[in-house]
Amino acid sequence: MELEIRAGRASGIVKAPPAKSAAHRLLLCAGLSRGTSVVRNVAFSEDILATIDVLRAIGAKVYVDEDFVFIRGTDVLRAECGDVISCRESGSTLRFCIPLLLLSGSTFALSGQGRLMQRPQSVYEKLCREQGLRFEMTGDTITLAGPLKAGRFEIPGNISSQFISGLLFALPLLDADSTIRLIPPVESRSYIDITISALRAFGVRAEWTDETTLRVPGGQSYTPWDIAVEGDWSNAAFFGALKALGDDVTVTGLNPNSLQGDRVYEAYFDALKAGCAELDISDCPDLGPILMATAAGLHGCVLRGTKRLAIKESDRGAAMAEELEKLGVACDIGENTILVSVGLRTPTEPLSAHNDHRIAMACAVLLTRVGGTITGAEAVRKSFPDFFDRLRGLGIEVNEHAAGNEL
């Protein structure tokens, strides 16, 4: 789908969408609880629907009403499913659920779309090999079987925190205690803390014993709860970028005391407005595309801690560099750094979303400056289905050039 975005100035108030990172975690905790939980303020993006699909596949009863989700939990220790379970394109769903599916000893098959099955799963492959468990990757399918055993787990701290979170969901349900030691440096710690907070809300304990070690008592159970998803700093950043670029936009619905690492976007945008800033995104890699876009519209920047951008829905550093070049902005990509220059102009060819929701939204923000078209805009359905409607609500003209339903 191709959208034309006319250059213009956004103005108005926009409420932050519900946090996808929190919603995944709260839904899983509810699905593991002994009773019925309510999770409020849920936005049903493709990623969140993937997590709901998995919960239903392993026996949880899930009922959706507007932005409420009612979940009667399942006993994952006895879960079975003879069908292949689709995780769509959700890395969080896949990595959070693999340890849970290893609990029962039954065989499960998981599939994915897009680049999902190209994303590394080496942490779980190694774990299964060491415990003598089944873990086979064939094409777009992972087949696995437990049962997972409690113990001491040692994991590199500079890989995706989704692996650590996956273990944190599963290990409390085992009989014995476990520890997870992260080999320094530890990145994306904020996402681990969000998981610990979600566990705590549902009556499950996991705690840091020092800067690199997590203790997870066994023999625990999840208690049902009624809880709301907080606002999403990560997706709100795209509207915060409009404000940083000079538009009269106010973002509401965000918790200033949130554990979300992406809450640093306000400070980072302030730094970009002040000059060519040097910013570390090791703990907030999802901000990479919008920081590159905002820097291109201001004074340029140097981003550090960028190597994990290559293993997202697209190679985000390379994808943004390709699109920024169409906009007259050069980028220099190093092993763990990205330099963004300036020189923004109207593109002479369509921009591409690279089948990546964050690339689509970052490009859209820049097109509000210079005008142009973007192909593959439907990628926003992965995390923020009504993004373009909200952009229109701020006075930006967005027109669809292909047949089909408007976003």
Side-chain angles (χ1 to χ4, degrees), residues 21-200:
S21 58
H24 278 299
R25 290 160 168 81
L26 297 179
L27 290 169
L28 283 173
C29 290
L32 298 171
S33 297
R34 297 179 178 178
T36 300
S37 300
V38 183
V39 182
R40 305 169 185 269
N41 192 36
V42 178
F44 297 102
S45 63
E46 288 290 320
D47 280 10
I48 294 304
L49 291 174
T51 290
I52 290 174
D53 288 346
V54 174
L55 287 174
R56 285 174 168 155
I58 62 175
K61 305 301 181 183
V62 184
Y63 173 71
V64 174
D65 184 10
E66 295 183 349
D67 64 348
F68 287 58
V69 182
F70 300 86
I71 302 179
R72 189 170 73 212
T74 187
D75 183 357
V76 71
L77 295 174
R78 299 182 179 182
E80 295 180 347
C81 183
D83 298 326
V84 177
I85 304 172
S86 173
C87 295
R88 306 194 190 200
E89 292 188 62
S90 176
S92 295
T93 302
L94 179 65
R95 289 172 175 163
F96 289 171
C97 291
I98 284 176
L100 292 172
L101 299 181
L102 286 170
L103 290 175
S104 73
S106 298
T107 299
F108 294 91
L110 296 167
S111 66
Q113 300 168 0
R115 280 169 43 106
L116 180 59
M117 290 306 181
Q118 298 174 32
R119 297 171 73 171
Q121 305 299 332
S122 56
V123 169
Y124 291 148
E125 289 182 90
K126 179 174 181 288
L127 183 159
C128 288
R129 184 169 61 251
E130 290 173 346
Q131 292 202 6
L133 310 180
R134 184 179 180 185
F135 190 101
E136 299 173 3
M137 294 190 69
T138 306
D140 288 333
T141 303
I142 294 175
T143 303
L144 49 87
L148 181 68
K149 296 179 282 293
R152 178 178 173 84
F153 300 84
E154 193 166 82
I155 299 173
N158 61 351
I159 47 82
S160 172
S161 63
Q162 293 167 350
F163 294 110
I164 296 99
S165 290
L167 288 170
L168 286 172
F169 287 120
L171 295 178
L173 297 173
L174 297 176
D175 290 337
D177 297 351
S178 296
T179 58
I180 304 172
R181 180 179 178 270
L182 305 182
I183 303 168
V186 179
E187 298 179 0
S188 297
R189 184 187 180 103
S190 61
Y191 286 103
I192 301 172
D193 289 337
I194 292 172
T195 301
I196 294 172
S197 177
L199 295 176
R200 187 182 304 121

Side-chain angles (χ1 to χ4, degrees), residues 297-313:
L298 292 170
H299 310 289
C301 74
V302 177
L303 298 183
R304 301 198 180 280
T306 59
K307 61 184 178 182
R308 280 177 37 217
L309 295 182
I311 53 173
K312 297 291 186 175
E313 284 81 349

Side-chain angles (χ1 to χ4, degrees), residues 195-209:
T195 301
I196 294 172
S197 177
L199 295 176
R200 187 182 304 121
F202 286 81
V204 172
R205 292 178 295 115
E207 60 187 4
W208 293 99
T209 60

